[in-house]
Amino acid sequence: MATTRVTVLAGGVGGARFTRGLLAHLEREDPDAQVTVVVNTGDDLWLDGLRVCPDLDTVMYTLGGVIGEQGWGRAGETARVSAELHAYGLGWDWFTLGDLDLGTHIARTELLRSGLPLSAVTARLCERWQPGAALIPMSDDPAETHVEVEIDGQVRLIHFEEWWVRYRASVPARRFVQVGVESARPAPGVLEAITRADVVLLPPSNPVVSVGTILGVPGVREAMRSTTAPVIGVSPILGGAPVRGMADACLSAIGVETSAAAVALHYGSRTAGGLLDGWLVDTVDGDALGRLRQAGIAARALPLLMSDDTATAAIVEAALALARGTGPAR
Ligand code: FO1
């Protein structure tokens, strides 16, 4: 049996947890399978002179078994250095870089300064954590997500992390800008990971600022449209609300309703020029199945809360079953 190649387009917590369940499932069912995670780098930023890559680190730490309980940074973290930086009036006092986490940012910055592209740096950092999947940044070129907001009557562009963490996405996003994305190239291996996959999975990551950001890298959407692999997504919206995070604030910013069906239709059915062959919704959204199938998207309803690896494995199994049952309609 040829090696099964599974590719996941992931953001932070949702994508990482889903991938952890995917690896657990494949370990049992298809141990030779190869998983590649194409990770969003739109959240990346320079802070205290260091390059911080939140989604790459969340996936790496989660699959490496050392993720912090809040879903980012490291378990058993302290913040002594961060307090020192804030005492000097440096950094963002509402954004904590933990002491262990700083080790990663210092290592990454040193490796970048030595001339390595982000994809090579990521591979080097992953040698330590052995995540069990290949992690590839969506691009080696910067394409940071900045958010246009109006604060105190002034329209400004702020970094995504300021909007997300300082303002908790409570200030309406007028638009999202991927700074420099037009000249960003997919990182080595990204397009092949999509076009040569046996299945491509869109985990319940933020469809706008995570999966959407990856799709915004020139060439990625075309690769998604041309791959012979079934493209199966998992709704991040259950019963009209995101499971965690603030995807609703992102969806409303681009005029998409916060519902399981609306997100699927936003990605679009492959038969209608979009990306999806299949879509999983939570049982609470079972009434969306008819509309999805009419749109040419194979759909199934099952519990989508990734409460533990068993629950996640069931979602993974359903996604892979949908992939076997669909395949591109050509
Ligand atoms: N999120 C917070 O809510 N507060 C923080 O202080 C914070 C610090 C932080 C440091 C490193 C890192 O990789 C992530 C961090 N995050 C923090 C989470 C971050 O906003 C999210 O991981 C993503 O950017 C959104 O998915």
Side-chain angles (χ1 to χ4, degrees), residues 11-14 40 42-45 47 52-58 61 70-73 92-98 101 105 108 159-161 164-166 168 206 209-210 244-246:
V13 180
N40 167 46
D43 299 4
D44 295 6
L45 72 155
L47 192 62
V52 177
C53 301
D55 283 351
L56 278 166
D57 289 346
T58 287
Y61 289 156
Q70 66 278 27
W72 48 267
W92 284 335
D93 56 15
W94 35 270
F95 194 85
T96 306
L97 293 176
D101 199 26
H105 309 317
R108 175 184 292 116
H159 190 280
F160 169 77
E161 290 294 355
W164 192 257
V165 177
R166 184 180 189 183
R168 309 299 316 159
N206 189 308
V209 293
S210 293
R244 62 172 283 140
M246 299 157 278

Side-chain angles (χ1 to χ4, degrees), residues 72-313:
W72 48 267
R74 289 280 296 278
E77 190 57 283
T78 51
R80 297 183 67 195
V81 174
S82 186
E84 283 297 290
L85 290 168
H86 294 159
Y88 283 117
L90 291 178
W92 284 335
D93 56 15
W94 35 270
F95 194 85
T96 306
L97 293 176
D99 294 323
L100 300 177
D101 199 26
L102 276 165
T104 299
H105 309 317
I106 294 167
R108 175 184 292 116
T109 304
E110 167 61 23
L111 291 168
L112 287 170
R113 282 164 49 94
S114 75
L116 288 177
L118 181 60
S119 49
V121 172
T122 302
R124 173 73 183 281
L125 297 177
C126 284
E127 279 169 22
R128 174 184 176 191
W129 299 113
Q130 295 297 307
L135 271 52
I136 312 181
M138 68 187 198
S139 175
D140 282 335
D141 307 310
E144 292 179 7
T145 302
H146 288 210
V147 186
E148 185 182 282
V149 293
E150 182 175 340
I151 296 174
D152 303 331
Q154 205 189 3
V155 176
R156 293 166 49 202
L157 265 185
I158 59 177
H159 190 280
F160 169 77
E161 290 294 355
E162 181 167 5
W163 182 67
W164 192 257
V165 177
R166 184 180 189 183
Y167 297 107
R168 309 299 316 159
S170 63
V171 179
R174 292 158 57 106
R175 66 191 172 104
F176 296 107
V177 181
Q178 291 183 252
V179 179
V181 71
E182 53 288 335
S183 54
R185 292 149 297 169
V190 164
L191 298 185
E192 296 79 3
I194 294 170
T195 55
R196 294 182 50 222
D198 296 299
V199 59
V200 176
L201 300 175
L202 301 187
S205 289
N206 189 308
V208 181
V209 293
S210 293
V211 177
T213 304
I214 299 170
L215 295 172
V217 176
V220 171
R221 193 174 284 274
E222 292 74 15
M224 292 289 286
R225 297 263 321 111
S226 67
T227 184
T228 53
V231 177
I232 310 296
V234 180
S235 179
I237 305 296
L238 281 59
V243 174
R244 62 172 283 140
M246 299 157 278
D248 44 347
C250 304
L251 287 165
S252 58
I254 62 167
V256 174
E257 179 196 284
T258 297
S259 74
V263 174
L265 297 173
H266 170 61
Y267 284 134
S269 154
R270 189 195 300 248
T271 54
L275 305 175
L276 290 181
D277 294 299
W279 186 249
L280 297 181
V281 302
D282 188 84
T283 42
V284 73
D285 296 309
D287 58 343
L289 294 177
R291 191 170 158 210
L292 293 168
R293 289 166 181 158
Q294 260 166 12
I297 301 170
R300 238 193 85 187
L302 75 155
L304 286 190
L305 268 182
M306 298 189 288
S307 41
D308 57 29
D309 275 354
T310 308
T312 307

